Amino acid sequence: MFEGPDLDAAERRVDDWQAGFEQRAAQARELAARLAQLSGAARSDDGLVTVTVGAGGALTGLELDEGIRRQPATETARQIVATLAAAQADLTAKATVITDETVGADSETGKAVIASLTR
């Protein structure tokens, strides 16, 4: 079936395919490890609210400056929600950079990761 140069070419194609697969697997492992360590943070414009989110985008830290007592609770709630959204956007931006650095933002894996973060 395969002999001589044809066999050599087939073996090279298999070796190249395997090397490419191993490289993509290593990149995916690196991406997962780096994403797991990520966090995002934001501070309100007036500095009264600081929010931190973990790798999944969930709230992991909330700091309220003592000055928060001088404003209505509805304003505090609005600031918390807005600052949480800004922290999540920070997380998404960082994850996009890491995705681009490891697997490429335009790769199928990269597109899937970025899409999952923007949902």
Side-chain angles (χ1 to χ4, degrees):
M1 181 170 182
F2 289 108
E3 293 181 14
D6 289 340
L7 179 58
D8 291 342
E11 286 176 345
R12 277 193 304 278
R13 281 193 298 274
V14 169
D15 290 345
D16 290 347
W17 177 82
Q18 182 176 355
F21 178 77
E22 290 169 357
Q23 179 184 10
R24 286 187 300 279
Q27 289 170 331
R29 285 190 298 274
E30 179 185 353
L31 175 61
R34 290 179 68 185
L35 289 176
Q37 299 298 316
L38 269 185
S39 65
R43 182 181 307 265
S44 62
D45 291 338
D46 61 8
L48 297 178
V49 177
T50 303
V51 170
T52 306
V53 294
L59 181 69
T60 58
L62 173 63
E63 295 176 24
L64 303 175
D65 185 270
E66 287 300 319
I68 207 88
R69 297 174 190 255
R70 293 188 295 271
Q71 67 185 25
T74 55
E75 176 60 15
T76 300
R78 185 200 64 74
Q79 284 183 301
I80 291 171
V81 170
T83 308
L84 174 60
Q88 290 168 332
D90 178 56
L91 176 70
T92 299
K94 289 176 181 176
T96 299
V97 169
I98 288 172
T99 300
D100 192 40
E101 291 172 353
T102 54
V103 298
D106 291 334
S107 70
E108 291 304 313
T109 302
K111 289 176 185 176
V113 168
I114 294 168
S116 72
L117 291 168
T118 56
R119 272 188 237 132

